[in-house]
Amino acid sequence: MNIEKISLRSYRNYESLELDFSPKLNVFLGENAQGKTNLLESIYVLSLARSHRSNNEKEMIQWHQEFARIEGKVKKRNGLLDLTMIISSKGKKTKVNGLEQSKLSHYVGNLNVILFAPEDLSLVKGAPQNRRKFLDMEIGQINPQYLHHLSIYQNVLKQRNQYLKKLAFSSNKDLVYLDVLSEQLAKAGGFVLFHRLKFLKKLEVWANNIHQKITYGKENLTINYKSQLELGDEMDETQLFELLHTELKNTVEKDLKHLTTSIGPHRDDLLFFVNEKNVQNFGSQGQQRTTALSVKLAEIELINEEIGEYPVLLLDDVLSELDDDRQVHLMEFIENKLQTFLTTTSLAHLENKLSITPRIFNISEGIVEGNSD
């Protein structure tokens, strides 16, 4: 798939903008704080109905404007799609071919993107919530129902935690409603766990193949799902529900003491091993970055495997964070394979690494020039 064109209105520092893109490589070139990442972000928002940079959606609306609009024409193997995202103080409105979508889960998945930014290089070393977010966003693109069940899980989790606090200050310890919430949480959590484990098993295969190529066969990469639950390799959704429900019952006293839900997908993590060594704790920075690069590139292949076409790749100033060897592996991987958008302050990273001519957009103070091959 690829994005043929995009138009912005009142989006961050762009009052009005319309661009046509190359189906191969597009480069947003300019100094920092000129609008390169804003433009890249708009593509991400068009795809996933949320920003990767901020949870405050009002920040995306230009100052003194009531709404921001992003429109894109997407070419897929089965035809063209017109996607529209409108952001206002009242919330978000999405349209596909002019038809308003009643749920975000009906919208997400029409345009698949993979974002690779400098902070993704800390995917391995960073906080567990970053790895959970990584899982949730990528699975959600392949299976929009996952986002629906994840939303249910998060809402019930909030209710359960609030009720735990209420019970702590109440003389009437009515645990019946708590058990109802626990059952609802386990049902949504079983769905989340099942699809996380399914996704991870496939991701590991692709990531290891890519990691071996980058390291010239010297390193094997494995990924483990870390949970307080004793998860079996072949557990189905029902078994995971029953396991989580049982454990939620077993931890009631602990949860009442600490006023929070102590077990479940919201507490889980990923562990990365290179040659059976925990790379998070004992790997070099180079191994950690190679692992992160392997995982991000594996996402691309996995999405292609699942939906039958490659996603759009967004590279936000990531080349400057990679050494020459990893830059070469990245550019060779993407060349002639998928549409790519790259932000950079210099073209030096691309010299002698490409056989294709990129479409270059020069960006300065929100003004874009170079809308041609």
Side-chain angles (χ1 to χ4, degrees), residues 17-191:
L17 180 67
E18 185 168 319
L19 298 175
D20 298 310
F21 296 129
S22 164
K24 295 182 178 179
L25 178 60
N26 300 272
V27 177
F28 299 150
L29 178 65
E31 297 300 321
N32 292 326
Q34 302 301 304
K36 303 189 304 297
T37 298
N38 289 345
L39 191 48
L40 201 74
E41 177 196 45
S42 71
I43 298 172
Y44 188 91
V45 174
L46 186 68
S47 168
L48 290 165
R50 57 169 292 174
S51 170
H52 64 287
R53 300 160 66 194
S54 172
N55 291 324
N56 185 355
E57 293 169 352
K58 293 180 181 178
E59 292 179 0
M60 292 182 273
I61 305 172
Q62 198 171 51
W63 190 249
H64 293 315
Q65 299 299 318
E66 294 183 358
F67 66 92
R69 181 192 295 267
I70 310 169
E71 295 178 298
K73 186 175 289 292
V74 179
K75 183 178 181 181
K76 304 182 74 171
R77 61 176 182 169
N78 55 356
L80 292 173
L81 280 181
D82 288 318
L83 301 180
T84 303
M85 166 66 60
I86 300 171
I87 305 162
S88 71
S89 58
K90 298 178 181 178
K92 291 176 286 194
K93 183 185 294 185
T94 58
K95 296 181 181 180
V96 178
N97 290 336
L99 298 176
E100 186 172 342
Q101 305 298 295
S102 59
K103 296 180 180 178
L104 286 180
S105 59
H106 296 165
Y107 176 83
V108 174
N110 284 292
L111 168 62
N112 300 101
V113 302
I114 296 295
L115 171 71
F116 194 9
E119 56 265 28
D120 289 310
L121 291 169
S122 65
L123 175 69
V124 175
K125 191 68 175 177
Q129 58 261 36
N130 295 336
R131 289 182 285 277
R132 290 193 293 268
K133 179 181 177 182
F134 155 74
L135 276 177
D136 293 338
M137 296 309 297
E138 304 317 326
I139 300 171
Q141 288 199 71
I142 298 170
N143 181 3
Q145 283 301 309
Y146 177 86
L147 293 179
H148 174 67
H149 284 83
L150 179 65
S151 177
I152 293 173
Y153 181 87
Q154 291 170 338
N155 288 334
V156 177
L157 176 64
K158 184 178 179 180
Q159 292 175 47
R160 190 177 190 272
N161 288 340
Q162 288 174 341
Y163 194 64
L164 286 168
K165 293 179 176 67
K166 181 180 179 180
L167 286 175
F169 299 101
S170 173
S171 57
N172 180 20
K173 303 295 184 184
D174 182 6
L175 301 183
V176 175
Y177 183 57
L178 184 64
D179 191 48
V180 170
L181 291 173
S182 297
E183 184 175 1
Q184 292 176 351
L185 191 67
K187 186 174 182 180
F191 185 96

Side-chain angles (χ1 to χ4, degrees), residues 2 57 91 101 155 159 171 189 200 214 218 225 299 333 362:
N2 64 77
E57 293 169 352
Q101 305 298 295
N155 288 334
Q159 292 175 47
S171 57
L200 202 59
I214 295 176
K218 296 177 182 177
Y225 189 82
E299 288 182 75
F333 182 89
N362 292 285

Side-chain angles (χ1 to χ4, degrees), residues 5 103 141 172 194 239 244 252 255 311:
K5 64 172 55 180
K103 296 180 180 178
Q141 288 199 71
N172 180 20
F194 177 76
Q239 290 171 317
L244 181 53
V252 165
D255 292 353

